[in-house]
Amino acid sequence: MIDYKHEPFTDFTVEKNREEFKVALKQVEAELGKDYPLIIGGERVTTEEKIISENPSNREQIVGTVSKANTELAEQAMKVAHDTFNTWKKWDPEVRADILFKAAAIVRRRKHEFSAYLVYEAGKPWNEADADTAEAIDFLEYYGRQMIELKKGYPVESRKIEKNRLSYIPLGVGVVISPWNFAFAIMAGMTTSALVTGNTVLLKPAETTPVVAYKFMEVLEEAGLPAGVVNFIPGSGPEVGAYLVEHPRTRFVSFTGSRQVGVEIYEKAAKVQPGQIWLKRVVAEMGGKDTIVVDNNADLDLAAQSIVQSAFGFSGQKCSACSRAVIHEDVYDEVLEKALVLTKKLTVGEPVNDTNMGPVNDQKAFDKVMSYIEVGKEEGRLVAGGEGDNSKGYFIQPTIFADVDENARIMQEEIFGPVVAFCKAKDFDHALDVANNTEYGLTGAVITNNRANMEKAREEFHVGNLYFNRGCTGAIVGYHPFGGFNMSGTDSKAGGPDYLLHFTQAKLTCEQL
């Protein structure tokens, strides 16, 4: 059993911590607008075509301009990664793990700096940015420790006439397509889980958050990662992403993002290309439509707090966010009223100023969320929020719709913004039926003091991560292995004890004695 503790979150009620974070924000502000190259085989490659990373809180503020890969450069990176794999796979797994431990130490020393980049590039409030950076550190250290365990192989039986061993070897070249909402933590976790198991990586970060990924590349280099193990190739999903997913040398694809893109990747990866001699493996986390169920025997203050925090943390831009509150009719009105009181206390604005909520990701996200708010006005009763302002950044007020039918669009479709629908349940069984009536199955929570109902939910609430008497967001590496059922993806359980197995294949050797 691994003795593991997660990286603590920064307490911003302590003035010293606040002042230190303000210094980091100023430091990063002075570095905004720089130009960042691709990194292929350790070489910096600059292209004419650029990805412009803007601050979603202030569109006029450019976080950085990043060189944009095309298919020709992606092919070059593939050749480098393929060649590098032949040497990297032979490194001692414990030495590969040491690189992750060193990288974690570097990030820990620069924790506020990375969080400040997340404030500017991802629009994260201070506490959300700090948690993102802490989770990145957790992934690095956890996967390093897991690799040391995995190095030992898995015990199998041997007969008197033979000696048997089961070991795990790397797959090959992997394509990592990481998301913008956890631009550091998930990107770092996806990348390092693949490399520590002996694979080489083509890293295509989200187009709206490539700068923090480049900064992480610098950390890996400083930690001693050999050139060519991870190649930094930001580019267009339909162009570079599709090209690499379909490439015959690609051995696996690790993806976090939308259901639509995840399904497309799964389909493309399934087709065997000319010259391809394996079936590609796909590890996909594709979103959710997550429910908090409130029983009539429950702490109603806790229920309201859990709903509001889970719905509006990082403006609802988490695949685990609560977008559906299904509440027993006996306590429905009271929980709704308590949630409204808490919601109206939230401040929305530029997160550099330590607001509760910042912007949504970009114009596309703003338009999508606002269109769903219009749908919600037809399907429910707007009791909070509903307004958006994109004159400077992409700001949307925390929005609650009450009295929504369980089959309404805003109860079924992933919005990925600060919108939560309240739905009344006749009884606890009805609440569970509603909770299970989507095509997703990622996270869920049940607020109840009824032990029988808790056990019924444990059996019947069909989600990968189910929480009792707390919110449905905030999985911690090593404690809450993360991944969901149905259209939420392949239930890969990131940050869990078997996650690294996705990037390995088991090899049995049998010696006759």
Side-chain angles (χ1 to χ4, degrees):
M1 192 72 180
I2 294 173
D3 181 19
Y4 181 73
K5 302 296 182 184
H6 79 89
E7 178 70 14
F9 303 136
T10 303
D11 182 355
F12 287 117
T13 65
V14 177
E15 189 59 30
K16 178 177 179 290
N17 293 339
R18 295 184 62 81
E19 292 305 314
E20 288 176 352
F21 197 72
K22 288 176 182 177
V23 169
L25 287 167
K26 284 292 184 184
Q27 174 192 339
V28 169
E29 183 182 25
E31 297 176 358
L32 297 181
K34 287 186 176 180
D35 191 52
Y36 299 93
L38 310 177
I39 304 176
I40 300 175
E43 300 293 323
R44 266 57 179 172
V45 179
T46 301
T47 62
E48 288 188 13
E49 193 173 3
K50 306 290 184 183
I51 295 172
I52 308 299
S53 174
E54 65 177 27
N55 179 351
S57 302
N58 180 0
R59 294 191 310 245
E60 294 179 358
Q61 193 171 52
I62 303 302
V63 178
T65 58
V66 182
S67 287
K68 188 175 185 180
N70 53 28
T71 54
E72 183 180 340
L73 289 166
E75 179 61 34
Q76 181 183 331
M78 173 61 76
K79 289 176 180 174
V80 167
H82 182 264
D83 291 343
T84 306
F85 175 66
N86 291 324
T87 55
W88 179 243
K89 68 181 180 181
K90 298 174 183 176
W91 277 48
D92 185 328
E94 200 155 340
V95 177
R96 295 196 299 254
D98 286 343
I99 294 173
L100 268 60
F101 299 142
K102 178 67 181 291
I106 295 168
V107 174
R108 185 175 284 113
R109 289 193 288 269
R110 297 169 55 187
K111 186 177 181 182
H112 287 340
E113 176 195 344
F114 273 98
S115 298
Y117 269 103
L118 291 168
V119 170
Y120 283 107
E121 190 171 40
K124 290 206 162 188
W126 291 16
N127 63 324
E128 295 280 351
D130 181 74
D132 196 325
T133 304
E135 186 176 14
I137 295 169
D138 286 347
F139 274 131
L140 291 166
E141 296 194 331
Y142 184 77
Y143 290 149
R145 292 187 174 102
Q146 288 294 327
M147 189 65 239
I148 292 170
E149 293 296 307
L150 189 60
K151 173 186 177 180
K152 302 171 186 175
Y154 196 86
V156 292
E157 299 298 327
S158 292
R159 299 181 295 174
K160 290 182 179 179
I161 61 169
E162 65 190 15
K163 174 63 177 175
N164 300 320
R165 291 176 184 162
L166 187 67
S167 58
Y168 294 90
I169 63 173
L171 295 171
V173 180
V175 178
V176 170
I177 303 174
S178 60
W180 52 262
N181 63 333
F182 286 85
F184 189 18
I186 293 181
M187 177 274 302
M190 294 168 73
T191 302
T192 56
S193 57
L195 74 87
V196 79
T197 41
N199 305 287
T200 52
V201 173
L202 303 175
L203 171 59
K204 196 196 89 60
E207 289 181 68
T208 54
T209 54
V211 172
V212 72
Y214 182 89
K215 291 291 179 182
F216 182 59
M217 287 293 299
E218 291 181 329
V219 168
L220 291 177
E221 290 176 326
E222 184 182 344
L225 187 71
V229 175
V230 179
N231 301 276
F232 177 71
I233 48 167
S236 160
E239 182 187 3
V240 170
Y243 178 79
L244 291 174
V245 167
E246 295 176 325
H247 200 288
R249 286 184 175 176
T250 295
R251 187 60 182 81
F252 66 91
V253 181
S254 183
F255 167 78
T256 299
S258 71
R259 175 197 182 281
Q260 177 188 345
V261 175
V263 169
E264 290 172 2
I265 287 172
Y266 211 74
E267 290 173 348
K268 286 183 168 70
K271 185 176 180 181
V272 177
Q273 303 292 334
Q276 181 180 325
I277 60 171
W278 48 62
L279 298 176
K280 291 171 185 167
R281 193 172 294 179
V282 175
V283 178
E285 200 278 280
M286 302 177 348
K289 189 67 180 173
D290 309 297
T291 306
I292 293 182
V293 169
V294 182
D295 200 3
N296 61 347
N297 181 359
D299 181 333
L300 303 188
D301 289 315
L302 173 65
Q305 181 184 26
S306 300
I307 292 166
V308 171
Q309 286 181 343
S310 299
F312 302 133
F314 190 39
S315 300
Q317 297 176 117
K318 302 178 184 181
C319 49
S320 59
C322 171
S323 59
R324 314 189 326 152
V326 179
I327 303 168
H328 194 295
E329 61 184 9
D330 292 353
V331 296
Y332 178 88
D333 291 337
E334 190 173 352
V335 174
L336 176 60
E337 184 57 38
K338 288 177 180 293
L340 285 172
V341 170
L342 293 174
T343 299
K344 289 171 181 176
K345 292 179 181 177
L346 298 175
T347 55
V348 180
E350 293 190 53
V352 71
N353 298 321
D354 192 22
T355 55
N356 298 123
M357 284 174 53
V360 295
N361 184 51
D362 57 10
Q363 185 66 52
K364 182 180 176 183
F366 180 88
D367 292 342
K368 177 185 176 183
V369 176
M370 292 307 297
S371 71
Y372 271 109
I373 287 175
E374 291 307 308
V375 171
K377 290 176 182 176
E378 300 296 321
E379 295 184 331
R381 177 166 57 95
L382 178 65
V383 292
E387 302 91 23
D389 181 0
N390 65 343
S391 57
K392 182 180 180 182
Y394 306 105
F395 298 101
I396 297 175
Q397 295 296 319
T399 299
I400 297 176
F401 288 102
D403 310 337
V404 182
D405 184 82
E406 63 195 72
N407 296 308
R409 283 183 63 193
I410 62 168
M411 283 285 288
Q412 294 294 321
E413 300 173 16
E414 187 176 37
I415 299 171
F416 224 68
V419 180
V420 61
F422 276 62
C423 176
K424 191 178 293 184
K426 295 191 294 288
D427 53 35
F428 190 76
D429 287 342
H430 180 215
L432 287 183
D433 288 342
V434 176
N436 286 329
N437 76 353
T438 81
E439 63 180 17
Y440 298 99
L442 186 53
T443 75
V446 176
I447 314 298
T448 184
N449 292 321
N450 183 319
R451 175 58 65 176
N453 284 347
M454 190 180 293
E455 294 310 304
K456 180 179 288 187
R458 197 187 302 272
E459 177 69 25
E460 298 179 12
F461 198 159
H462 193 62
V463 290
N465 285 57
L466 178 60
Y467 305 101
F468 293 103
N469 293 317
R470 52 155 284 184
C472 59
T473 62
I476 296 175
V477 174
Y479 295 79
H480 314 125
F482 188 80
F485 306 151
N486 299 345
M487 281 298 168
S488 289
T490 57
D491 193 35
S492 53
K493 286 294 181 274
D498 55 359
Y499 185 69
L500 294 187
L501 297 180
H502 294 297
F503 311 104
T504 67
Q505 47 197 345
K507 183 174 184 177
L508 184 281
T509 59
C510 171
E511 179 185 356
Q512 185 134 335
L513 301 176

